[in-house]
Amino acid sequence: QVQLVESGGGLVQAGGSLRLSCAASGHTFSSYAMGWFRQAPGKERDIIASINWTGASTYYVDSVKGRFTISRDSAKNTVYLQMNSLKPEDTAVYYCAATLGFGLYSRMGSYEHWGQGTQVTVSS
């Protein structure tokens, strides 16, 4: 079983930056592909970015390409989401997720383990 704990959310002005962290414990972190999702009020939970088990491959949804960067540090069992040039429409609860596998995964159903979420609010 993998436990995931997100941190780093908060309130930021439009154009600002935040870095989210997701600390994993309980199993071999390096065996897991990781993803970041977000859910705005009244909307579905959607993929933002994902990273494969080595960190060599990444995926981004079009709306965050060039602004967000996903990375992982296996020594720290942590995956990060660096968010720059934030917009009010980025306001949501952000979740990290983990799945055993060697691929790159963008569907919610591909992930078995989820964190509790961290709120990101971007003011205009």
Side-chain angles (χ1 to χ4, degrees):
Q1 186 73 10
V2 175
Q3 292 82 44
L4 304 172
V5 179
E6 301 99 334
S7 61
L11 174 63
V12 64
Q13 288 189 330
S17 297
L18 283 174
R19 187 176 80 157
L20 304 184
S21 299
C22 174
S25 62
H27 223 288
T28 307
F29 175 72
S30 60
S31 300
Y32 285 79
M34 305 294 293
W36 283 99
F37 291 73
R38 69 185 178 190
Q39 187 168 19
K43 295 189 177 181
E44 294 183 349
R45 191 175 300 186
D46 293 323
I47 185 75
I48 296 300
S50 59
I51 189 166
N52 75 334
W53 68 293
T54 65
S57 296
T58 56
Y59 164 84
Y60 298 94
V61 68
D62 285 347
S63 59
V64 307
K65 281 181 181 176
R67 300 190 298 125
F68 291 11
T69 303
I70 188 171
S71 61
R72 65 190 298 158
D73 185 337
S74 293
K76 296 183 178 180
N77 283 5
T78 301
V79 64
Y80 302 99
L81 186 68
Q82 177 67 43
M83 305 187 295
N84 299 328
S85 302
L86 282 161
K87 305 175 181 179
E89 51 263 43
D90 293 318
T91 295
V93 178
Y94 284 68
Y95 299 89
C96 73
T99 186
L100 270 175
F102 300 117
L104 200 57
Y105 307 96
S106 61
R107 295 189 306 110
M108 274 189 63
S110 298
Y111 291 86
E112 301 103 18
H113 308 285
W114 292 84
Q116 81 289 349
T118 185
Q119 176 70 47
V120 171
T121 303
V122 184
S123 63
S124 56

